[in-house]
Amino acid sequence: MALTKYQQQLRTLLSPAERRVFAGLSTPQKIQDYLDHSPANLLTKGEHTMKSPRRVLQTGSAHCLEGAMLAATALAYHGRPPLLLDLESTDNDYDHIVALFKQNGRWGAISKTNYPVLRWRDPVYASVRELALSYFHEYFLDNGKKTLRRHSGPFNLQKFDPKRWVIAEGDVDWLAEALGDAKHFPIASPKTIKALRRASKVEVKATAVREWKKDIKGKVRKATA
């Protein structure tokens, strides 16, 4: 099958070692497995990174947007659209970003997170909104307050030259800003939001698990090992 123009442009930019990695990430399932085995980018207070996929491969760790961009790169490498979905929370919580894919006419999501929730979604959803809503009941604070408020549509990274985001040496904050500025859709009406029931204590307790943690030397390792 002939490569698309964007595929050709992307593959030309990558080093032989990078091409070997992305060549192996030939399905969304394999991409998710790769992200699950990659340490979380655990930022301490005051730290900030927005690493490109190239720098994620170099450093070996990623937070949610960094992981979503790497997943989008792998999808584009194999001729799929590099799509992101922004899940926007209230101001006292954090947004979450996943990579979208379509398989057999249904939507799924690839996710990098250090928590037991907000993770991979199998491609069983009829629409992007339906997929976004699947995250609603998992999105809450330690006091049980549910915080997911809006979601973007599919945000196609093909609108950007891959030089700007795939192999950038500096942080790509501009991409996060562009995603945040894209059109978003409300999860529910203000009246519905006002009447939300809080998550129960057992639900809150279940989210205390972390997949990765720092040891006393600051090295990130499996928390569940």
Side-chain angles (χ1 to χ4, degrees):
M1 184 180 295
L3 300 181
T4 67
K5 183 177 179 181
Y6 203 80
Q7 267 183 293
Q8 292 175 324
Q9 190 178 4
L10 172 62
R11 292 188 179 193
T12 300
L13 293 173
L14 299 174
S15 69
E18 290 167 340
R19 287 197 292 272
R20 284 193 294 271
V21 172
F22 287 116
L25 303 180
S26 55
T27 66
Q29 290 81 355
K30 289 179 180 179
I31 300 169
Q32 185 63 66
D33 289 344
Y34 182 89
L35 288 177
D36 282 353
H37 286 90
S38 299
N41 181 9
L42 301 178
L43 300 174
T44 57
K45 189 174 182 179
E47 283 187 311
H48 169 83
T49 68
M50 200 64 69
K51 297 182 292 187
S52 68
R54 167 166 285 177
R55 288 183 59 215
V56 168
L57 293 181
Q58 290 171 347
T59 61
S61 67
H63 56 55
C64 74
L65 180 50
E66 293 168 345
M69 287 191 292
L70 185 135
T73 302
L75 292 171
Y77 186 94
H78 292 282
R80 293 173 179 258
L83 303 176
L84 301 183
L85 170 69
D86 181 32
L87 300 168
E88 187 179 281
S89 69
T90 54
D91 291 341
N92 56 346
D93 202 355
Y94 295 97
D95 292 1
H96 187 58
I97 299 96
V98 299
L100 291 173
F101 66 94
K102 208 169 187 181
Q103 196 165 288
N104 300 321
R106 297 283 172 158
W107 289 96
I110 303 165
S111 175
K112 179 61 179 175
T113 178
N114 198 35
Y115 296 83
V117 296
L118 308 184
R119 303 183 76 88
W120 158 271
R121 291 294 189 264
D122 284 300
V124 299
Y125 300 96
S127 68
V128 171
R129 176 167 176 79
E130 189 175 283
L131 186 152
L133 290 175
S134 77
Y135 288 99
F136 179 77
H137 286 97
E138 298 181 344
Y139 220 119
F140 51 79
L141 299 172
D142 289 344
N143 62 8
K145 182 179 179 181
K146 292 164 185 168
T147 58
L148 186 58
R149 292 294 181 267
R150 301 198 306 163
H151 68 88
S152 71
F155 186 81
N156 197 334
L157 295 178
Q158 281 188 356
K159 67 181 75 175
F160 306 117
D161 188 326
K163 285 182 180 179
R164 294 188 65 197
W165 66 276
V166 175
I167 63 168
E169 293 302 324
D171 284 335
V172 290
D173 294 85
W174 62 267
L175 192 151
E177 293 169 3
L179 178 57
D181 290 340
K183 185 176 181 179
H184 283 61
F185 305 90
I187 291 291
S189 69
K191 185 177 181 179
T192 298
I193 293 295
K194 188 175 181 180
L196 292 177
R197 179 181 180 273
R198 295 198 177 204
S200 65
K201 290 182 179 180
V202 70
E203 289 176 287
V204 173
K205 186 177 180 180
T207 64
V209 175
R210 299 292 182 270
E211 187 172 15
W212 299 89
K213 68 178 182 180
K214 288 185 178 181
D215 61 23
I216 58 174
K217 295 182 179 180
K219 185 177 180 180
V220 179
R221 63 179 179 84
K222 277 280 186 181
T224 55

